[in-house]
Amino acid sequence: ILLLNRLRMSSICYFNERNNATKEYKPSRKPRLYARAVFTGYKRGQRIQHENTALLRIDGVSSKEDAKWYLGKTACYVYRTALRKKTKRGNGFRVIWGKVVRTHGKSGAVRARFRSNLPGSAMGKRIRVMMYPSRV
């Protein structure tokens, strides 16, 4: 009964064989519902860059087949406002929403289009690729 109560509290119990003791593990944070990505730059040719399409490198994706799973997923760039303080209308953060539209190359990069183009200062910064909408 004690073990069932522990499982109901969403904790996991481990049994240590050395000293015959059970150790309880409680998750400290909520699970992350997005994949981490980095904004590496804009789509470009040899001379002209197209700021309306951003190139993203998603963590853990290293092939074109892996990147195809993220097509159609929602992406967002979260940044702090210039004043960096809470106001009546907001909490000091802003978001630019976008969508993964296709793969780029064969090493797992993807192209994304955002509602407003990402600023150049966002290069190298973190982008969130949400796990929705699901196609499973």
Side-chain angles (χ1 to χ4, degrees):
I1 295 173
L2 184 62
L3 183 62
L4 289 175
N5 287 336
R6 286 183 179 175
L7 290 176
R8 282 188 202 129
M9 295 188 309
S10 73
S11 61
I12 301 170
C13 298
Y14 293 103
F15 183 72
N16 191 348
E17 294 179 359
R18 288 185 188 164
N19 55 5
N20 293 331
T22 57
K23 185 177 181 182
E24 188 174 338
Y25 169 75
K26 291 185 180 179
S28 60
R29 296 191 308 184
K30 296 178 184 176
R32 184 167 37 88
L33 298 177
Y34 60 89
R36 294 183 188 142
V38 175
F39 172 43
T40 56
Y42 301 109
K43 183 182 93 165
R44 55 171 295 146
Q46 187 176 5
R47 293 173 187 86
I48 300 171
Q49 73 178 9
H50 304 277
E51 291 91 0
N52 57 354
T53 305
L55 301 179
L56 307 179
R57 164 79 57 201
I58 302 172
D59 289 356
V61 177
S62 58
S63 69
K64 192 172 197 171
E65 288 72 30
D66 295 341
K68 285 182 180 177
W69 190 85
Y70 290 95
L71 298 184
K73 300 285 190 260
T74 303
C76 71
Y77 170 58
V78 180
Y79 63 100
R80 297 191 72 163
T81 58
L83 297 176
R84 296 181 187 225
K85 64 179 181 178
K86 292 184 180 182
T87 61
K88 291 180 182 179
R89 295 183 58 194
N91 58 359
F93 290 95
R94 290 188 185 153
V95 181
I96 301 176
W97 292 96
K99 181 179 174 182
V100 177
V101 291
R102 61 175 289 183
T103 59
H104 181 81
K106 58 183 181 179
S107 61
V110 295
R111 297 181 192 179
R113 300 191 84 148
F114 288 83
R115 288 185 187 160
S116 62
N117 299 341
L118 291 181
S121 60
M123 281 190 201
K125 300 279 177 63
R126 199 56 91 176
I127 305 287
R128 298 178 181 187
V129 179
M130 303 300 178
M131 295 298 164
Y132 55 83
S134 177
R135 293 182 294 147
V136 178

